[in-house]
Amino acid sequence: MNASSPSPAQNQASTTSLYGGVTNRRVTVRDLAAAKQRGEKWAMLTAYDALTAGVFDEAGIPVLLVGDSAGNCHLGYETTVPVTMDQMVMLSAAVVRGTKRAMVVADLPFGSYQESPAQAMHNAARLMKDAGVGAVKLEGGERSARSIELLVEAGVPVMAHIGLTPQSVHALGGYPVQGRGDEAAHQMLRDAKAVQQAGAFAVVLEAVPAELAAQVTEQLAIPTVGIGGGADTDAQVLVWTDMAGMTAGRVPKFVKQYANLRAVLGDAARDFAEEVRTGTFPAEQHTFH
Ligand code: KIV
């Protein structure tokens, strides 16, 4: 068997549903391309540790993103800007260890790829070799096209990220919706086409008017992954702590909370503390003799 003749498992899986069809190997870029052809929508969640990633893998989420949102959602920073390569390697390796089937995509954090395509390649290789991820993600459209091209030529699958790019929070003055107005919309289309042309296998569209996200999705051959991009993108991604109700305080308008884990965990911790205080825990069944 050589590189141009995929194994029977690869052939079979790329024609079946992303939900349950692929069980004996990880989801690949070919599966995602085939899903776009079929018009099958898919879900991506962030994950930052082995335990949570394992839960999402068992639930059949086909793509897990070790986002640099770990900065705000896992490591206690205010933004994604301080996140380092060492942190991304550690978190990504844990997510890979905790999963069997999902494609694991890791973010290149701020400052790890903007200097040059060579810097992007160096750090993408670290994520693939030291953490074992299947793909990397980086922010930027036309401005990142040269780096995407080099990575793809070198065999690194790249997910691009345009629209609201959180690593630019200080330049943007916050997290405003992007692509409003004719010029901004045209730039978004140029950015989307530039990353596709450079070889990206998918592109995240963050905080983009739904009509524009639909137009981008229609004009691209690669899958679009929306977060605050309306219902017409090929896939949807949410930050897991937002989706599961772990985040304290306000969440963005585009978030739907599917559980209230913060309340569940808080109640469990309060019940434990109360039982310790009153001497009801540990009981006889938790005790060795
Ligand atoms: O870092 C992240 O979690 C992301 C998603 C919001 C797409 O980039």
Side-chain angles (χ1 to χ4, degrees), residues 44 46 48 65 67-69 107 137 161 204 206 227 237 239:
M44 177 163 97
T46 65
Y48 316 112
L65 171 67
D68 59 357
S69 52
D107 260 333
K137 177 165 83 56
H161 183 157
V204 169
E206 178 161 355
I227 176 161
V237 55
V239 166

Side-chain angles (χ1 to χ4, degrees), residues 46-72:
T46 65
Y48 316 112
D49 67 85
L51 194 68
T52 318
V55 172
F56 299 153
D57 202 36
E58 279 172 25
I61 301 295
V63 186
L64 292 177
L65 171 67
V66 189
D68 59 357
S69 52
N72 345 34

